[in-house]
Amino acid sequence: MRCLLFLRRLLDKGCHHHRDHDQKDPSAAILQLSLDILSLITDNLALHDKFLLSHTCKALRQVTFQNWDFVLSRLSFEDQSGFWVGLAYTLPNRWACLKCCKLHHIDTSDVPAAFQTVRYRGIPCSIKHSRGIEVEVYSMQHYHIQFALKLSRLGKVHQRYLAALMDTYTRTGISFIPPLADSYTAEPRIINKRFILLEEWNIRNNTSTALPLFPDKSRLPLPVCPHMRMLFGGPARSRSWKQSSIHRMVHMSNNNNMRQLEEFVLLKEVTLLEDGIALAYESPGQWIFNSCLHCPTDFAIMISTDEREATIRAWHDFGIEGSPIDISWKAHVADKNRHWLDVGPYVDYSHGSIRELWSEGISHRTRTSQGKLRSVFTKLIESLSEV
Ligand SMILES: [Zn+2]
Ligand SMILES: [Zn+2]
């Protein structure tokens, strides 16, 4: 980094004043250096910085000359990702697609609320339900977040697109659970250079009869995060199904000493939402707060005092600018190849801090690094494989 700053200082002393980059500028400080010194500096640059430098002028292109296709082909996927993400960080019109392993051009009509429109596009590549937690017409993709953070950092360029990316989205209208009414709202914000998304689900009983707000026979779309999905109906039915599944699984394992503890902890982890709803029913009119253990998501549930309205909020922290393979993004993405109980490693962050950050809009020390601890499920699977 120190090397890059030094290089920028050298470049600032002349090279960029000449628009004809192929003309060697004799006043550029960097070009006064001997080839050996210059090589020492450029050898310490990240590959994407070297690539960008090679495109500044003819002289620097010669110093940093490489067969880029060949160099890239020899890199691991992680290093290739770093290269594309590093380039996209600097270039305002590009985003790094790791599916195609290249940069794509900005499309200012591609916003989270246009998911149905852009989902089936053939060019440059189709997109899917990436987080697996979106509603049908709103999908926050990794590149949306990266564009929002980058354009916010750069200022001046594509500010209208930035505003569209940061638009609040609300879905009302046809209910998923008639005769109950339901709505969904998503509100993105950038706070302390972090991308935070607040989602809210609201369920109301506007009929004259008493009805359960979480009916067991309907599939309720309450995807608070990939680790807290309700399965097969309302909270009571979902909890009971999860409990019997875990019970069967734990008793298939050969770890007798750990059985009861494993079962208890695992059930507790995967029924945070169901238990939160039950608790909210016991304390109507009060917010019940909790946080996911496997992704930086705080959530809150409230049942109104007349029990005719339920509100669920989730605050997701997608972190600072980065790569799709960073834990700050991956933790939010559902892996369809995993067993539903395999919720991934624990993520280390201060529970409640994302909600506080949102409401206060001030600096909080939110840690989102990946925890070293393996989840209970991982340990259980290991013991099963020993059977
Ligand atoms: Zn692509
Ligand atoms: Zn989660």
Side-chain angles (χ1 to χ4, degrees):
M1 179 56 83
R2 192 176 294 170
C3 188
L4 184 59
L5 291 174
F6 176 57
L7 195 57
R8 277 192 183 138
R9 273 211 305 277
L10 290 171
L11 283 167
D12 280 347
K13 289 190 177 178
C15 211
H16 74 288
H17 295 305
H18 281 249
R19 288 294 159 216
D20 183 0
H21 293 309
D22 279 352
Q23 291 298 310
K24 185 177 174 182
D25 172 18
S27 69
I30 193 167
L31 298 176
Q32 309 301 317
L33 299 173
S34 72
L35 195 58
D36 288 347
I37 302 280
L38 204 50
S39 296
L40 278 175
I41 297 169
T42 56
D43 281 352
N44 282 290
L45 293 176
L47 194 63
H48 58 268
D49 286 325
K50 223 183 266 189
F51 179 83
L52 290 168
L53 187 64
S54 76
H55 287 72
T56 53
C57 69
K58 202 171 183 177
L60 288 174
R61 191 181 306 146
Q62 283 169 353
V63 174
T64 52
F65 176 78
Q66 303 200 45
N67 182 339
W68 295 102
D69 286 336
F70 177 72
V71 172
L72 271 180
S73 69
R74 291 172 62 90
L75 294 179
S76 65
F77 176 71
E78 284 73 18
D79 288 340
Q80 281 192 34
S81 308
F83 176 78
W84 296 116
V85 169
L87 285 185
Y89 180 87
T90 305
L91 305 170
N93 293 322
R94 306 280 171 171
W95 62 276
C97 174
L98 300 191
K99 210 186 282 179
C100 305
C101 232
K102 62 180 183 183
L103 297 180
H104 290 320
H105 201 268
I106 190 170
D107 173 1
T108 54
S109 68
D110 182 349
V111 292
F115 182 50
Q116 289 295 41
T117 317
V118 296
R119 186 179 181 186
Y120 299 109
R121 66 185 175 188
I123 299 168
C125 55
S126 61
I127 56 170
K128 292 178 181 164
H129 280 286
S130 54
R131 286 189 298 142
I133 68 169
E134 301 91 336
V135 293
E136 75 284 9
V137 288
Y138 185 88
S139 174
M140 185 61 75
Q141 302 283 319
H142 181 262
Y143 61 86
H144 290 144
I145 293 171
Q146 297 310 307
F147 263 129
L149 291 169
K150 176 165 66 178
L151 297 177
S152 164
R153 166 172 55 83
L154 295 174
K156 293 182 183 170
V157 282
H158 297 302
Q159 293 302 292
R160 205 176 287 177
Y161 182 46
L162 172 61
L165 288 169
M166 302 305 291
D167 256 357
T168 296
Y169 169 81
T170 302
R171 178 188 62 76
T172 50
I174 298 169
S175 170
F176 276 104
I177 42 171
L180 298 168
D182 79 304
S183 65
Y184 166 83
T185 303
E187 189 181 348
R189 271 193 207 171
I190 294 172
I191 308 171
N192 296 345
K193 298 178 184 174
R194 307 186 77 81
F195 192 96
I196 314 287
L197 179 68
L198 167 62
E199 293 181 291
E200 180 178 301
W201 293 265
N202 185 267
I203 300 159
R204 291 169 313 283
N205 177 10
N206 297 329
T207 71
S208 52
T209 51
L211 292 167
L213 293 170
F214 299 93
D216 259 345
K217 287 192 176 175
S218 71
R219 279 215 151 195
L220 208 57
L222 276 178
V224 171
C225 79
H227 319 104
M228 284 189 279
R229 282 180 166 278
M230 281 210 287
L231 301 169
F232 306 109
R237 194 170 167 206
S238 174
R239 193 180 197 284
S240 147
W241 190 88
K242 287 179 181 178
Q243 187 167 19
S244 54
S245 300
I246 292 170
H247 188 73
R248 271 199 309 275
M249 196 162 196
V250 168
H251 282 263
M252 279 166 63
S253 80
N254 66 347
N255 194 337
N256 294 325
N257 297 331
M258 291 293 286
R259 273 182 186 172
Q260 275 193 326
L261 183 63
E262 298 280 5
E263 192 170 337
F264 176 78
V265 174
L266 195 49
L267 181 64
K268 196 87 186 150
E269 279 186 17
V270 297
T271 55
L272 289 178
L273 184 59
E274 290 88 339
D275 291 348
I277 291 171
L279 207 56
Y281 262 110
E282 288 171 21
S283 318
Q286 287 181 37
W287 283 107
I288 302 298
F289 298 108
N290 212 333
S291 304
C292 182
L293 296 166
H294 301 279
C295 72
T297 295
D298 291 329
F299 68 97
I301 306 163
M302 186 165 74
I303 306 291
S304 63
T305 47
D306 60 3
E307 298 190 1
R308 293 175 66 82
E309 183 174 2
T311 307
I312 298 178
R313 289 181 184 156
W315 294 261
H316 310 280
D317 181 0
F318 290 97
I320 57 173
E321 285 176 84
S323 159
I325 59 175
D326 290 346
I327 191 68
S328 55
W329 171 254
K330 275 179 75 178
H332 293 285
V333 180
D335 186 344
K336 291 187 175 67
N337 297 320
R338 278 182 163 174
H339 189 281
W340 69 270
L341 266 174
D342 185 2
V343 282
Y346 296 121
V347 170
D348 182 19
Y349 69 105
S350 305
H351 293 178
S353 62
I354 310 165
R355 179 169 46 83
E356 285 171 18
L357 184 64
W358 178 276
S359 55
E360 294 171 19
I362 56 167
S363 174
H364 276 253
R365 297 183 68 185
T366 309
R367 293 169 298 149
T368 54
S369 59
Q370 184 174 4
K372 298 288 181 201
L373 293 171
R374 293 169 304 157
S375 75
V376 169
F377 180 82
T378 315
K379 287 186 270 180
L380 181 61
I381 285 296
E382 283 170 4
S383 66
L384 270 175
S385 63
E386 290 163 11
V387 175

